[in-house]
Amino acid sequence: MDIDVKELEAPCGALVEGVDLNTCLSERQAKTIREAWLKHHVLVFPEQKLSDDDLEEFTLCFGEFGEDPYIEPIEGRKNICAIKRLAKEKSPIFAESWHTDWSFLEVPPAGTCLYGKKIPPKGGETSFANQHAAYNELSADLRTHIDGKWAIHSAAAGYSPEGIFGIENLEKDRSMKIRVSEDARKTQKHLLVQKHPETGKKSVFSCFGYISGIEGMPEDEAKDLLLELHQWQTKSEFVYQHVWREDMLVIWDNRSLLHKANGGYEGFERLLHRTTIADVKN
């Protein structure tokens, strides 16, 4: 049976059927899936019974394992993290703000795989915003303001000792194992407009929560520009709202999208296993 890729009626995303991911992919299958990933940015594989070994093997079809600097891996694994929330938890939803994964690294990851193991009967969707579309539809004025500008990224607001997940604010009932570190204060510069390294398509690369400023711009002006840009990037016309099912695998292109987690499943447990795909430094 050939792989069937069906484009979703959304600004990004495709449903992929006709492939069993708990068997080794052929070279042709891997090529077809990668081409679909680059074209649609989010791929959804329903009804996949995957072990952790299967998840790791699939991830390696797209590149080496990437770094997850502030989340502890699950026991017995180096490259799988649990995105977990117990039914009784009251702490804020993890990753509930729009972001691109680990943008504060020198080379942020190319992509992320997320596999649904325990999915609540309501809520818990993941939102994806197409940043190629966001760039293409930019006004001439806003495009002029961001082209060629370097944003200063940092994890301090989240993972430093005084950050959202810091020592004083780390909720006792949070089931996810989050690392807090002084290393979160380090900064890294990235252009606000970037070309995709594989497709050459331009996109907006701005992540409001991880950006502390813009090089050469006064702090108040930078904040205003970043807020205006953030509001544009996350407009509904660019957003696909993904609804999870158990045994569903989703892979997305971190270089093309913003994403965020959603709540609405209070009183229910939610568990997904995650791997990260490294990008290659240009």
Side-chain angles (χ1 to χ4, degrees), residues 71-180:
I71 309 175
E72 293 280 355
I74 63 174
E75 186 175 354
R77 299 279 170 169
K78 294 181 179 179
N79 300 298
I80 296 179
C81 297
I83 307 302
K84 182 179 182 181
R85 185 177 173 85
L86 299 177
K88 65 180 181 180
E89 284 191 41
K90 303 297 182 183
S91 57
I93 303 295
F94 181 76
E96 64 180 343
S97 298
W98 286 104
H99 65 287
T100 185
D101 284 334
W102 312 140
S103 70
F104 46 79
L105 295 177
E106 180 182 3
V107 183
T112 304
C113 299
L114 203 56
Y115 179 62
K117 295 179 73 69
K118 292 183 181 179
I119 303 300
K122 61 177 183 177
E125 297 86 0
T126 301
S127 302
F128 296 96
N130 185 334
Q131 295 307 290
H132 296 298
Y135 177 79
N136 291 339
E137 297 298 322
L138 276 173
S139 67
D141 182 61
L142 188 51
R143 185 175 296 189
T144 299
H145 274 81
I146 67 172
D147 260 329
K149 287 189 170 61
W150 293 85
I152 303 167
H153 294 244
S154 170
Y159 302 101
S160 67
E162 70 275 11
I164 295 172
F165 303 111
I167 302 300
E168 294 183 2
N169 300 317
L170 193 60
E171 294 82 6
K172 293 180 180 179
D173 69 338
R174 183 180 290 279
S175 58
M176 284 187 63
K177 296 179 180 179
I178 296 173
R179 297 168 175 162
V180 175

Side-chain angles (χ1 to χ4, degrees), residues 48-64:
Q48 298 286 337
K49 293 287 187 180
L50 303 182
S51 67
D52 287 335
D53 285 339
D54 296 330
L55 178 58
E56 289 187 335
E57 185 174 335
F58 176 80
T59 304
L60 290 172
C61 290
F62 292 83
E64 298 298 321

Side-chain angles (χ1 to χ4, degrees), residues 216-231:
M217 184 176 288
E219 184 178 349
D220 56 343
E221 291 182 24
K223 185 176 180 180
D224 288 345
L225 177 58
L226 290 168
L227 180 58
E228 180 184 4
L229 185 58
H230 175 77
Q231 291 171 338

